[in-house]
Amino acid sequence: MPLKVLFAAHTDRWAEYEAPLNAAFEEAELKVDLARDHVPEVVDYIVYAPNGDLQDFSPFKSTKAVLSLWAGVESIVGNETLTQPLTRMVDSGLERGMVEWVTGHVLRHHLGIDQDVLGQNGAWRPHVPPLACERPVTILGLGELGKACGLALAQLGFPVIGWSRSEKKIQGINCIFGEENLATALQSASIIVLLLPLTSNTENLMNADRLAQLPKGAVVINPGRGQLVNDDALLQSLDSGHLSHATLDVFRIEPLPSEHPFWAHPKVTVTPHIASETRPTTAAKVIADNITRGEAGEPFLFLVNRKLGY
């Protein structure tokens, strides 16, 4: 009897995921009936994305796990009807996309590329950037994505400090943790990359006081969550000249409204939430792997801790 797997994501995602998921199930030798319209009583697993219609999980009495296609789970983790195990998405395509975006923008600011690209006016303006070893980078958040980005930057020669709420040990990254050491992480950052999950503890973490702790001329890069930064405080810090630039990929409202001051600000770069997109082919293999583990009675990969929120 095939496993009943419900695809519960936005309608336009079905065309992207149907074939890769079925291919991954076949490769894993799983017999699966994948559909968008299974009745709740028969569903074994739910492949989920928060932008779908499913909000009430209480009818899914026999469901063994809800497998999210998104890395972020802040919009679902507090759902009181969700009593089934919940996993988040960690896949190689998503990780590589984040590493490439982060390293690209760190190098862009490190080398002062904007000055050349935007300054093609006939004026010869020589400038010599420091070497990577002279440009400290801080990463807030040492989950799978933060760790991967930190290691990539360290391999390029940047001194990398990684800050997390709990203790981490990663060779090549100077790992510090705890609220008492956050100021140290901020004060050391010529460039700071925000890759924390969104929780009640991290919302507006980068407020006016913490932005002021960054060195004068620092750059803020945020591919994590828009709510990690207080927008007004960020704009004030840029306007005052304390921060030199902010490159932002995530926002409180998406798409970012056309009237938002970020669009026209000369010290802000907006990218349209492209830093880390789940790739159907690689994500499908993670889903198949977790279903295989569930059927074998093994622990699920990337299980969400409901108390921590990630």
Side-chain angles (χ1 to χ4, degrees):
M1 184 116 178
L3 295 167
K4 303 290 186 182
V5 176
L6 177 69
F7 186 83
H10 196 271
T11 303
D12 60 6
R13 291 298 191 180
W14 176 245
E16 298 177 28
Y17 276 94
E18 182 184 11
L21 281 168
N22 280 320
F25 295 148
E26 183 176 354
E27 183 179 352
E29 298 183 349
L30 291 168
K31 293 183 178 180
V32 171
D33 178 7
L34 175 69
R36 298 172 57 207
D37 56 359
H38 288 312
V39 295
E41 294 78 11
V42 304
V43 171
D44 295 294
Y45 296 91
I46 299 174
V47 177
Y48 176 80
N51 60 355
D53 295 329
L54 178 57
Q55 297 297 323
D56 183 5
F57 295 87
S58 55
F60 295 88
K61 304 295 186 184
S62 301
T63 299
K64 303 167 189 176
V66 175
L67 312 172
S68 180
L69 292 172
W70 289 13
V73 293
E74 63 272 6
S75 62
I76 183 181
V77 71
N79 188 322
E80 294 182 357
T81 71
L82 179 59
T83 58
Q84 301 87 346
L86 171 67
T87 68
R88 59 190 178 87
M89 178 53 63
V90 177
D91 82 285
S92 59
L94 187 151
E95 179 182 294
R96 292 313 307 167
M98 181 64 79
V99 168
E100 291 173 13
W101 188 93
V102 167
T103 55
H105 284 285
V106 167
L107 285 169
R108 166 188 158 221
H109 291 297
H110 166 63
L111 296 172
I113 289 174
D114 286 5
Q115 178 176 328
D116 298 320
V117 172
L118 303 176
Q120 302 289 311
N121 58 2
W124 187 263
R125 295 185 302 273
H127 61 96
V128 180
L131 296 175
C133 63
E134 302 170 296
R135 179 88 71 183
V137 177
T138 288
I139 295 181
L140 299 189
L142 288 176
E144 296 295 328
L145 298 180
K147 174 184 175 181
C149 291
L151 289 173
L153 291 169
Q155 288 172 356
L156 290 170
F158 292 98
V160 178
I161 289 180
W163 180 87
S164 56
R165 292 202 167 271
S166 58
E167 187 174 9
K168 300 285 180 72
K169 294 182 179 180
I170 304 169
Q171 188 172 2
I173 299 176
N174 180 11
C175 299
I176 60 177
F177 70 100
E179 191 73 28
E180 66 277 12
N181 289 315
L182 180 56
T184 299
L186 298 175
Q187 293 163 7
S188 304
S190 290
I191 299 173
I192 189 164
V193 181
L194 309 181
L195 281 168
L196 289 161
L198 178 61
T199 69
S200 58
N201 291 321
T202 62
E203 186 169 4
N204 290 315
L205 181 76
M206 299 305 294
N207 55 24
D209 289 341
R210 293 197 176 97
L211 291 170
Q213 292 177 49
L214 294 169
K216 182 175 175 59
V219 172
V220 172
I221 297 178
N222 186 14
R225 293 289 179 267
Q227 296 92 329
L228 298 176
V229 181
N230 181 294
D231 290 359
D232 291 338
L234 178 61
L235 288 167
Q236 290 170 9
S237 187
L238 290 166
D239 289 340
S240 72
H242 181 68
L243 295 179
S244 64
H245 204 92
T247 291
L248 311 173
D249 187 59
V250 287
F251 308 92
R252 293 173 181 274
I253 299 174
E254 295 184 3
L256 185 66
S258 59
E259 67 275 11
H260 196 287
F262 283 159
W263 283 113
H265 201 288
K267 295 181 179 180
V268 175
T269 300
V270 171
T271 65
H273 203 142
I274 57 171
S276 190
E277 179 72 14
T278 304
R279 268 68 173 180
T281 301
T282 51
K285 293 180 179 180
V286 176
I287 296 294
D289 190 10
N290 252 339
I291 291 178
T292 299
R293 296 174 71 88
E295 291 305 290
E298 298 175 1
F300 292 110
L301 297 172
F302 318 124
L303 192 65
V304 172
N305 184 318
R306 305 294 179 86
K307 291 182 179 180
L308 295 177
Y310 54 90

Coordinates of all heavy atoms in Angstrom, one line a residue, residues 4 25 38 41 97 108 119 132 185 191 239 243 257 271 301:
K4 N 0.6 7.8 1.6 CA -0.2 9.0 1.2 C 0.6 10.2 1.6 O 0.7 10.5 2.8 CB -1.6 9.0 1.8 CG -2.4 7.7 1.5 CD -2.8 7.7 0.0 CE -3.7 6.5 -0.3 NZ -4.1 6.4 -1.7
F25 N 11.3 10.0 -4.7 CA 10.7 8.8 -4.0 C 11.0 7.5 -4.7 O 11.3 6.5 -4.1 CB 9.1 9.0 -4.0 CG 8.6 10.2 -3.2 CD1 7.5 10.9 -3.6 CD2 9.3 10.6 -2.0 CE1 7.0 11.9 -2.8 CE2 8.9 11.6 -1.3 CZ 7.7 12.3 -1.7
H38 N -5.5 14.6 -1.0 CA -5.8 13.5 -0.1 C -6.7 14.0 1.1 O -6.5 15.1 1.6 CB -4.5 12.9 0.5 CG -3.7 12.2 -0.4 ND1 -4.2 11.2 -1.2 CD2 -2.3 12.2 -0.7 CE1 -3.2 10.7 -2.0 NE2 -2.1 11.3 -1.6
E41 N -7.7 12.1 6.8 CA -7.6 10.9 7.6 C -6.6 9.9 7.1 O -6.1 9.0 7.8 CB -9.0 10.2 7.6 CG -10.0 11.0 8.4 CD -10.6 12.2 7.6 OE1 -10.3 12.3 6.4 OE2 -11.3 13.0 8.2
G97 N 23.3 28.4 -2.5 CA 22.8 29.7 -2.9 C 23.1 30.8 -1.9 O 23.5 31.9 -2.3
R108 N 32.0 42.3 -2.6 CA 31.6 43.6 -3.2 C 31.9 44.7 -2.3 O 32.5 45.7 -2.8 CB 30.1 43.5 -3.5 CG 29.5 44.8 -3.9 CD 28.0 44.7 -4.0 NE 27.3 46.0 -3.8 CZ 26.2 46.3 -3.1 NH1 25.6 45.3 -2.5 NH2 25.8 47.5 -3.0
G119 N 30.7 54.6 -10.8 CA 31.5 55.9 -11.0 C 32.1 56.0 -12.3 O 33.2 56.6 -12.4
A132 N 41.8 40.7 2.7 CA 40.8 40.1 3.4 C 41.2 39.9 4.9 O 40.3 40.0 5.8 CB 40.4 38.7 2.8
A185 N 30.9 40.7 19.5 CA 30.7 40.3 18.1 C 30.4 41.6 17.3 O 30.9 41.7 16.1 CB 29.5 39.3 18.0
I191 N 32.1 44.2 8.6 CA 30.9 43.7 7.8 C 30.2 42.7 8.7 O 30.8 41.8 9.3 CB 31.3 43.1 6.5 CG1 32.1 44.0 5.6 CG2 30.1 42.5 5.8 CD1 32.7 43.4 4.3
D239 N 21.9 57.5 7.7 CA 21.8 58.9 7.4 C 22.8 59.7 8.2 O 23.4 60.7 7.8 CB 20.4 59.4 7.7 CG 19.4 59.0 6.7 OD1 19.8 58.6 5.6 OD2 18.2 59.0 7.0
L243 N 26.9 54.0 9.7 CA 27.0 52.9 8.9 C 27.2 53.4 7.4 O 26.7 54.4 7.0 CB 25.7 52.0 8.9 CG 25.4 51.3 10.2 CD1 24.1 50.5 10.1 CD2 26.5 50.4 10.7
P257 N 7.2 47.2 -0.6 CA 6.4 48.3 -1.2 C 7.2 49.3 -2.0 O 8.3 49.7 -1.5 CB 5.6 48.9 0.0 CG 5.6 47.8 1.0 CD 6.9 47.1 0.9
T271 N 17.8 43.5 -2.7 CA 17.7 42.4 -3.6 C 16.4 41.6 -3.3 O 16.0 41.6 -2.1 CB 18.9 41.4 -3.6 OG1 19.0 40.8 -2.3 CG2 20.2 42.2 -3.9
L301 N 15.6 14.1 10.2 CA 16.6 15.2 10.1 C 16.0 16.6 10.2 O 14.8 16.8 9.8 CB 17.3 15.1 8.7 CG 18.1 13.8 8.4 CD1 18.5 13.8 7.0 CD2 19.3 13.7 9.4

